[in-house]
Amino acid sequence: MFLLPDYRVRQRDYLLDISRALTAQLDLGEVLRLILQAATSMLSGEVGIIALREGDGFHVRAITGTQPDQANLFDPLLEDLRPDADDIDVAQLYSKMRKVAREVDLNLRQVVALPMVVADDMLGILFTFRSYAGAPTENDHRLLQSFADQAAIAVHNARMYEFANQERQRLAAILDYSADGVMILDAHLHIERWNRALSHITGWQPDQVTGRHHDIVIRWARRATGLNLSEAINNGWPRPVSTDTLPETLYIEGDLERLDGTTISVGITYAPLRKPDGALQNIIANVRDITRFREAEELKSTFISVVSHELKTPVALIKGYADTLNRPDANWNRETIIEGLTVIEEEADRLTELIENLLAASKLQAEGMRLTVDDANLPLIAQQAIDRFQTQTEKHTLRAEFPPDFPVICGDTTRLRQVIDNLLSNAIKYSPRGGEVIIRGTYGDAWVQVAISDQGIGLPPDELGRVFERFYRVDSALTSNTQGTGLGLYLAHAVITAHGGKIWANNNPDGGATFSFTLPRRD
Ligand code: ADP
């Protein structure tokens, strides 16, 4: 029977232990200590150190045979060592060793130093010191090299692991802090990852969805595009890897049901992630909140329809009257001419108002409301508005009721005039059978209030708040026959809030609507 020499058996046992440790634990310090102890013991060494290359220099990372706090006393050995040094200068090493030996007060007389190399990359040096003189043998070198190689592999693995770990953390952070919702599904459509933005969009927290099937969580209240994910998969998405270059992503858009039962407009892009053999490994889904985009789209189409509808009528009237008055064969009397010109003038005024409202609304959106604040005399503004509007109607009686000591406030007179004009014109427009329209002023210590009430059609109770929205018009026979853009109250709301006040609407018990606003008094 072939027997290994004793030291070979020990070396084999040690190497076995080390490789077990290498696979079992990822604590680099522990593994290096184990390797160093084995190497030193195999060589009957006194002290062993492993120095690792970090940046431009070497630093002791494991030590055996002496106190760990003596590690820095070995630093002189590492000075001047260059990572690319092919061979370590033995004479210099010995002279440094003697110096260190004096410092650490140990009998170190022989040193073996071997580089730890993986793929031409020198990761560190393993040193073993003995207490007897004489040169180490070839065998010593070979023995130590096997341990140095193990140490190199351990360091290499640990660095790879650390790198992979850092990458994983970096990716997790990117995922978590992405402004878009991101979820990762396994090949069976179970949710593996769910980021913060997606919790925000859907109301579902990661621990509520992890492991659940995609279709339980992603439920469409309304879908604007294509099939849902499961249907698409049943229809062959994603196609097996092929040579064509068409993108394999799947896009689904619509209103998603949130956890609390509300809905949100989203667009989801699903992208398959494949294994090297082409099998589906994961599906990465990017979920984007497209509410604002959808709102903008809706607003754009409302804008176009409102503008085209509201422009058509006055333009047609102006054109009609101008054509008639202009007929070369007709000889109009003065009364007819005045009547025609009055209509043209009124319609042109309406057009101007419409254009001004549109411009004001778009300016408001772009730069917010800017006020030019000065003394504002609300009773005077109200009376002037009444005088102007009373000439336009006989069916209505317009009246202002302000206490004589109603305070002058701080405000933008031009804008407040627009608000009162608008509320007054609405009160007339939406009370087609006429009646009283009253502008009433009251005040307290800190505020003033103006209320404009009419005896008209009033408002559906659930739309009292909505009439202040941009382009919002109550859907009724009267409204559809009355000119308007749904911008007046939106602008009035903007002016009053810019002044720090509030505006609201309610219905009167005996019919008609009252629009009221408060404004802060100046100190
Ligand atoms: P417009 O009058 O141009 O349609 P507004 O923003 O001024 O736009 O008003 C929005 C909607 O509120 C109107 O279309 C109308 O349906 C409703 N409304 C406004 N004022 C009154 C009122 N005094 N009585 C009843 N409904 C009103």
Side-chain angles (χ1 to χ4, degrees):
M1 199 169 89
F2 174 72
L3 280 177
L4 285 171
D6 178 50
Y7 81 92
R8 282 271 181 215
V9 177
R10 278 173 56 220
Q11 182 194 11
R12 190 197 59 197
D13 289 349
Y14 273 134
L15 288 178
L16 258 169
D17 277 353
I18 291 165
S19 55
R20 251 185 244 123
L22 267 178
T23 42
Q25 55 181 329
L26 289 157
D27 179 352
L28 180 63
E30 247 339 280
V31 175
L32 290 183
R33 223 173 347 268
L34 196 68
I35 294 171
L36 193 58
Q37 270 163 8
T40 316
S41 141
M42 280 299 298
L43 280 175
S44 315
E46 195 76 12
V47 174
I49 61 172
I50 286 178
L52 294 188
R53 205 182 110 198
E54 277 156 26
D56 286 342
F58 288 85
H59 299 277
V60 177
R61 281 291 163 254
I63 186 159
T64 181
T66 184
Q67 295 304 319
D69 58 7
Q70 291 200 311
N72 59 339
L73 297 177
F74 288 82
D75 284 347
L77 275 169
L78 309 174
E79 280 164 14
D80 312 323
L81 279 179
R82 280 186 300 117
D84 52 355
D86 282 345
D87 256 329
I88 295 163
D89 182 335
V90 178
Q92 214 180 45
L93 193 62
Y94 268 84
S95 102
K96 286 177 182 171
M97 178 191 68
R98 281 189 285 276
K99 242 170 67 194
V100 170
R102 277 195 297 278
E103 287 287 319
V104 291
D105 200 16
L106 283 170
N107 181 21
L108 308 179
R109 303 184 62 195
Q110 191 195 87
V111 56
V112 190
L114 283 173
M116 296 155 44
V117 180
V118 167
D120 286 343
D121 192 11
M122 207 245 243
L123 302 177
I125 302 174
L126 196 157
F127 294 88
T128 303
F129 304 92
R130 283 165 162 169
S131 56
Y132 49 86
T137 65
E138 189 57 27
N139 202 31
D140 291 342
H141 274 271
R142 227 176 301 125
L143 196 63
L144 198 60
Q145 190 61 60
S146 62
F147 290 103
D149 290 346
Q150 292 284 359
I153 292 167
V155 173
H156 181 69
N157 283 358
R159 294 208 170 142
M160 295 279 281
Y161 176 75
E162 196 181 323
F163 179 71
N165 215 12
Q166 273 171 7
E167 269 312 278
R168 210 174 27 232
Q169 282 172 2
R170 214 163 62 90
L171 285 176
I174 293 174
L175 195 76
D176 248 8
Y177 294 102
S178 151
D180 282 343
V182 179
M183 70 179 142
I184 302 179
L185 310 175
D186 66 15
H188 304 288
L189 308 192
H190 288 105
I191 295 165
E192 282 183 358
R193 289 293 304 257
W194 186 267
N195 77 346
R196 282 170 205 237
L198 198 46
S199 292
H200 189 70
I201 293 173
T202 61
W204 291 90
Q205 295 305 315
D207 55 341
Q208 294 174 300
V209 297
T210 312
R212 298 183 84 172
H213 193 275
H214 165 273
D215 294 359
I216 297 176
V217 182
I218 301 296
R219 288 193 309 256
W220 297 100
R222 190 190 66 83
R223 234 179 20 255
T225 51
L227 307 169
N228 72 23
L229 178 62
S230 295
E231 290 164 353
I233 285 180
N234 290 338
N235 271 269
W237 183 87
R239 287 186 312 273
V241 216
S242 60
T243 44
D244 65 38
T245 50
L246 280 176
E248 269 202 291
T249 54
L250 171 73
Y251 181 72
I252 302 177
E253 190 181 300
D255 295 337
L256 203 65
E257 270 179 33
R258 302 181 76 245
L259 180 60
D260 63 6
T262 56
T263 59
I264 183 164
S265 299
V266 297
I268 307 187
T269 308
Y270 297 93
L273 191 73
R274 296 178 182 283
K275 292 186 196 156
D277 65 1
L280 186 64
Q281 181 171 21
N282 287 110
I283 293 175
I284 319 280
N286 180 285
V287 186
R288 180 163 286 188
D289 177 354
I290 55 166
T291 313
R292 289 179 72 85
F293 171 74
R294 286 278 283 278
E295 277 172 2
E297 285 287 294
E298 271 167 33
L299 211 61
K300 203 167 78 187
S301 64
T302 317
F303 178 83
I304 291 168
S305 73
V306 165
V307 169
S308 50
H309 178 256
E310 294 303 314
L311 287 180
K312 258 191 201 151
T313 326
V315 170
L317 280 168
I318 292 173
K319 170 92 176 120
Y321 274 88
D323 275 353
T324 314
L325 294 180
N326 205 19
R327 262 165 51 185
D329 53 332
N331 195 1
W332 303 115
N333 62 25
R334 183 154 172 77
E335 209 173 289
T336 317
I337 294 174
I338 288 181
E339 193 190 315
L341 288 176
T342 310
V343 173
I344 292 176
E345 202 183 344
E346 276 172 11
E347 294 306 316
D349 281 351
R350 211 196 293 282
L351 275 180
T352 312
E353 190 193 314
L354 171 73
I355 292 164
E356 267 168 9
N357 274 352
L358 285 173
L359 288 179
S362 79
K363 213 166 150 194
L364 175 65
Q365 203 183 1
E367 43 192 75
M369 176 66 67
R370 290 202 193 131
L371 299 177
T372 314
V373 177
D374 203 344
D375 283 354
N377 184 340
L378 288 169
L380 183 66
I381 297 174
Q383 193 51 55
Q384 288 170 343
I386 284 176
D387 294 345
R388 250 178 303 122
F389 279 95
Q390 188 66 78
T391 58
Q392 298 174 15
T393 173
E394 280 167 9
K395 282 190 282 185
H396 300 87
T397 316
L398 312 183
R399 193 149 48 84
E401 284 179 9
F402 280 82
D405 54 353
F406 190 87
V408 168
I409 60 151
C410 231
D412 185 327
T413 300
T414 315
R415 299 244 186 239
L416 291 172
R417 191 190 304 282
Q418 281 167 356
V419 173
I420 290 183
D421 280 2
N422 187 271
L423 296 178
L424 203 54
S425 119
N426 278 351
I428 295 167
K429 264 201 311 197
Y430 300 105
S431 47
R433 287 190 300 184
E436 278 202 319
V437 176
I438 303 174
I439 310 183
R440 211 171 259 124
T442 46
Y443 67 90
D445 287 341
W447 48 265
V448 299
Q449 179 169 332
V450 175
I452 297 174
S453 59
D454 59 52
Q455 296 175 325
I457 57 167
L459 286 153
D462 54 345
E463 296 185 47
L464 289 169
R466 297 208 64 189
V467 288
F468 297 99
E469 289 174 16
R470 192 166 29 171
F471 292 124
Y472 194 85
R473 304 194 75 204
V474 174
D475 192 6
S476 76
L478 176 66
T479 314
S480 50
N481 288 325
T482 315
Q483 294 222 318
T485 51
L487 285 177
L489 290 179
Y490 166 71
L491 293 170
H493 179 267
V495 171
I496 299 300
T497 16
H499 278 86
K502 282 196 172 62
I503 182 164
W504 68 96
N506 50 266
N507 284 317
N508 306 326
D510 46 356
T514 298
F515 282 81
S516 316
F517 62 83
T518 54
L519 292 171
R521 278 181 69 168
R522 70 167 158 213
D523 300 321

